[in-house]
Amino acid sequence: MASENLYGKLETDVEIKASANKFHDIFKHRPHHISNVSTDKIQGCDIHEGEWGTVGSVIYWNYFHDGKPRVAKEIVEAIDDEKNLITFRVIEGDLMEHFKTFKLTIQANPKTEGEGCVVHWTLEFEKHHGEIIDPHTLLQFVADVSKDLESHLAEA
């Protein structure tokens, strides 16, 4: 029997008209503001341990995905201000029903020409079993949240 590949990685790029620094800053210091902007997708974001913008902080998200209210508890695993990069590892919540591990990395890269940036999302995961489909709808979800933030950050 062939061994099923339970590890996966999905990536997408989202071009937005906001600066890479502004985009990075909202996920680092003010993720609790995202629910004000992306109201149909993010219902809330609270800090459970640590402080906003620090590695090791535990953040709790309430979000609406695939037609259902969901929750995710994440630990901030890495922050690189020079690269505008943040990695979150999901430690509890709905995703853990399907995945043993789930990590999201967000990197906002300034565009070489013109204004704005390209937000690069990476979802890395290990499934509990081979029947579980890759989280393409979640990748679309984070891309849509990026677009919601674009108009807010471009105005700010």
Side-chain angles (χ1 to χ4, degrees):
M1 189 170 117
S3 70
E4 301 169 80
N5 189 4
L6 301 178
Y7 293 92
K9 184 176 182 177
L10 297 176
E11 298 179 77
T12 191
D13 286 319
V14 183
E15 256 186 70
I16 64 170
K17 292 177 181 74
S19 79
N21 289 346
K22 278 186 181 176
F23 191 87
H24 175 69
D25 184 69
I26 199 162
F27 273 95
K28 180 180 175 187
H29 293 293
R30 298 175 293 123
H32 49 294
H33 289 199
I34 297 170
S35 59
N36 301 338
V37 180
S38 193
T39 51
D40 59 326
K41 296 173 197 73
I42 308 288
Q43 277 69 53
C45 177
D46 300 297
I47 191 136
H48 277 214
E49 288 174 36
E51 292 176 33
W52 295 119
T54 59
V55 170
S57 300
V58 176
I59 299 173
Y60 193 82
W61 296 86
N62 289 291
Y63 63 104
F64 197 82
H65 173 247
D66 280 348
K68 291 184 190 152
R70 306 200 186 251
V71 296
K73 193 174 190 180
E74 300 175 339
I75 190 163
V76 178
E77 206 166 69
I79 297 173
D80 186 331
D81 291 329
E82 273 180 40
K83 293 181 179 170
N84 293 314
L85 181 141
I86 300 182
T87 300
F88 297 99
R89 185 167 43 90
V90 180
I91 53 175
E92 283 177 29
D94 295 291
L95 286 168
M96 296 291 96
E97 290 172 18
H98 302 290
F99 301 97
K100 285 183 190 171
T101 61
F102 203 95
K103 201 176 345 186
L104 300 94
T105 302
I106 313 163
Q107 183 171 14
N109 300 299
K111 284 168 72 172
T112 47
E113 291 176 26
E115 289 181 27
C117 69
V118 176
V119 179
H120 185 77
W121 286 89
T122 307
L123 308 183
E124 294 175 85
F125 48 88
E126 181 187 356
K127 304 173 196 178
H128 283 302
H129 56 77
E131 304 297 307
I132 294 166
I133 59 167
D134 288 354
H136 290 283
T137 60
L138 194 64
L139 192 66
Q140 185 60 53
F141 176 88
V142 295
D144 292 344
V145 169
S146 304
K147 282 296 192 186
D148 289 348
L149 286 170
E150 172 181 37
S151 50
H152 171 71
L153 294 172
E155 290 164 13

